[in-house]
């Protein structure tokens, strides 16, 4: 009897030690990731430091009703077709093929359209294509995107098998001054440029995912003003976004992003969001974002999603987001076909 008790006690101690070892290993990995991200942030800031200039062309208004319903906290969570814009590493999390379309009337002034398609292939690979169009004959902007995602899951051992990588290449086109009522002296011409996003996601535990996105790490746009005979170039501001998402339960998850400023004239921005599956077809979302600077600007968002499955592997999703901000409230409407 004494021997059996001793054996049980030894087993209990071994379980505790193994659990502690696993926790220490996870803590060490997370500490290493934080250190690497800290170094990367410092390097990015030193390379891109200075003034962003904040050009008004090709402004990222936030695309996709689901991400915007969560306050833009989506870098680690990205697992649907919106991942093309938010973190291409999430493309390999697509269960099948997805097509989406989004419309936004920004500030009641400028219409924006976003359409995308994506799918997984060859088990560890995925691709996606998208188009963004905005404006009118006075100023029209179009962005074409091609994204690729890869995961070494099943190829490499832990912890690399929980890593996902992705890249999005962008071609930017613009035209301005096509309106006939502007007179002969109006500025008119066109622009052409490119951009590159690099992203990664890592599943630290079954309930915790970490993400990072280097948005427009390389980019430039060249303009040709035909009326004035001028040519010039400018860049879209780059940014580094660090994020995490965690599942409190099967129906409730939270996401947090830090959009790190790389310039002296822009602020860091915090994004927070939550998603709750109220019923199987109905999902509710709430979000919040705020800059970190001398003048505080906040925005709040509410969102909902409704999904209907026609059969296994085929369904339709409708998403809506309403964003409250200090200038003027806006909304996003998205429809997605999954097949």
């Amino acid at each position: 009897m004494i021997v059996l008790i001793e054996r049980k006690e030894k087993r209990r101690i071994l379980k505790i030690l193994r659990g502690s070892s696993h926790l220490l290993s996870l803590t060490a990995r997370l500490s290493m990731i934080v250190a690497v991200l800290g170094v990367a942030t410092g390097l990015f800031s030193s390379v891109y430091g200075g003034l962003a200039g904040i050009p008004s062309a090709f402004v990222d208004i936030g695309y996709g009703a689901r991400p915007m319903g969560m306050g833009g906290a989506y870098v680690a969570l990205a697992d649907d077709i919106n991942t093309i814009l938010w973190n291409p590493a999430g493309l390999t999390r697509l269960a099948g093929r997805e097509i989406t379309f989004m419309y936004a009337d920004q500030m009641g002034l400028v219409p924006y359209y976003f359409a995308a398609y994506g799918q997984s292939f060859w088990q560890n690979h995925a691709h996606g294509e998208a188009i963004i169009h905005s404006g009118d004959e006075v100023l029209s902007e179009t962005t074409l995107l091609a994204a690729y995602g890869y995961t070494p899951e099943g190829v490499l051992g832990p912890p690399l098998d929980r890593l996902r990588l992705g890249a999005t290449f962008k071609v930017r086109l613009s035209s301005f001054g096509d309106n006939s009522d502007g007179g002969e002296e109006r500025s008119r011409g066109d622009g052409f440029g490119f951009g590159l996003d690099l992203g990664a996601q890592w599943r630290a535990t079954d309930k915790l995912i970490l993400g990072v996105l280097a948005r427009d790490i390389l980019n430039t746009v060249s303009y040709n003003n035909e009326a004035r005979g001028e040519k010039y170039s400018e860049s879209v501001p780059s940014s580094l976004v660090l994020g995490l998402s965690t599942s409190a339960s099967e129906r409730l998850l939270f996401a947090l992003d830090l959009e790190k400023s790389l310039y002296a004239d822009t602020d860091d921005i915090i994004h927070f969001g939550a998603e709750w599956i109220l019923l199987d077809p109905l999902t509710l979302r709430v979000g919040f974002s705020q800059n970190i600077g001398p003048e505080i600007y906040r925005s709040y968002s509410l969102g909902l999603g409704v999904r209907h499955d026609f059969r296994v592997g085929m369904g339709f999703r409708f998403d809506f987001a309403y964003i409250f901000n200090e200038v003027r409230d806006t909304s996003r409407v998205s429809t997605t076909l999954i097949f």
Side-chain angles (χ1 to χ4, degrees):
M1 179 66 69
I2 295 174
V3 173
L4 288 174
I5 293 174
E6 288 180 349
R7 287 178 179 175
K8 288 182 179 179
E9 185 65 19
K10 286 181 179 179
R11 288 173 185 167
R12 187 179 70 84
I13 293 173
L14 284 173
K15 285 183 179 180
I16 294 173
L17 290 175
R18 286 170 183 166
S20 300
S21 175
H22 176 72
L23 180 60
L24 289 172
S25 176
L26 177 59
T27 303
R29 291 173 185 172
L30 292 177
S31 299
M32 183 179 296
I33 290 174
V34 171
V36 170
L37 292 178
V39 172
T41 301
L43 290 175
F44 268 77
S45 298
S46 63
V47 172
Y48 293 93
L51 300 179
I54 315 179
S56 58
F58 297 100
V59 174
D60 185 358
I61 65 166
Y63 299 92
R66 185 189 179 201
M68 293 304 294
M70 299 183 66
Y74 211 66
V75 167
L77 177 60
D79 60 357
D80 59 12
I81 190 59
N82 294 303
T83 191
I84 293 177
L85 289 171
W86 293 88
N87 191 345
L91 275 171
T92 54
R93 298 171 68 182
L94 294 178
R97 293 170 290 181
E98 292 190 18
I99 296 177
T100 191
F101 175 80
M102 187 214 77
Y103 170 77
D105 187 8
Q106 188 71 352
M107 305 296 179
L109 299 173
V110 182
Y112 283 82
Y113 304 91
F114 166 61
Y117 169 82
Q119 71 171 83
S120 299
F121 68 98
W122 293 348
Q123 186 177 357
N124 296 73
H125 306 261
H127 71 86
E129 294 76 39
I131 181 172
I132 300 171
H133 179 75
S134 66
D136 51 27
E137 58 185 8
V138 177
L139 174 61
S140 174
E141 296 178 341
T142 301
T143 302
L144 306 175
L145 306 96
Y148 168 76
Y150 172 76
T151 176
E153 183 177 1
V155 178
L156 300 178
L160 294 179
D161 61 336
R162 297 193 294 271
L163 181 66
R164 300 176 188 273
L165 303 171
T168 299
F169 182 75
K170 311 171 187 176
V171 174
R172 293 183 165 113
L173 308 168
S174 72
S175 64
F176 51 92
D178 291 333
N179 53 313
S180 58
D181 59 348
E184 292 299 323
E185 298 300 322
R186 71 185 184 278
S187 294
R188 60 184 183 276
D190 53 48
F192 174 82
F194 70 90
L196 177 66
D197 295 349
L198 298 177
Q201 291 179 340
W202 184 64
R203 182 177 291 278
T205 69
D206 291 339
K207 295 186 177 182
L208 176 64
I209 298 177
L210 305 178
V212 59
L213 174 69
R215 180 180 288 126
D216 282 309
I217 184 174
L218 296 174
N219 79 90
T220 186
V221 182
S222 299
Y223 292 96
N224 176 29
N225 190 325
E226 298 174 356
R228 299 181 180 179
E230 298 175 348
K231 294 184 179 181
Y232 60 96
S233 298
E234 66 179 22
S235 297
V236 176
S238 306
S239 62
L240 181 66
V241 188
L242 312 176
L244 65 85
S245 68
T246 181
S247 301
S249 67
E250 292 183 356
R251 292 181 174 270
L252 179 64
L253 61 83
F254 299 95
L256 177 67
D257 283 6
L258 170 62
E259 189 171 346
K260 180 62 181 173
S261 170
L262 303 177
Y263 306 92
D265 57 348
T266 58
D267 296 330
D268 296 346
I269 303 176
I270 292 177
H271 305 269
F272 173 79
E275 184 175 71
W276 178 36
I277 302 177
L278 181 61
L279 302 169
D280 284 338
L282 178 63
T283 300
L284 301 180
R285 305 181 183 106
V286 63
F288 166 83
S289 67
Q290 174 185 306
N291 68 310
I292 304 174
E295 296 185 17
I296 300 300
Y297 300 95
R298 297 187 182 94
S299 67
Y300 303 88
S301 59
L302 295 174
L304 64 84
V306 179
R307 173 165 176 163
H308 175 71
D309 291 322
F310 302 111
R311 62 171 187 264
V312 177
M314 185 173 185
F316 174 83
R317 192 177 73 229
F318 171 83
D319 294 297
F320 175 79
Y322 194 87
I323 301 97
F324 305 86
N325 59 51
E326 298 178 5
V327 179
R328 185 170 181 175
D329 299 346
T330 62
S331 62
R332 305 285 187 275
V333 178
S334 296
T335 56
T336 304
L337 179 64
I338 305 160
F339 60 102

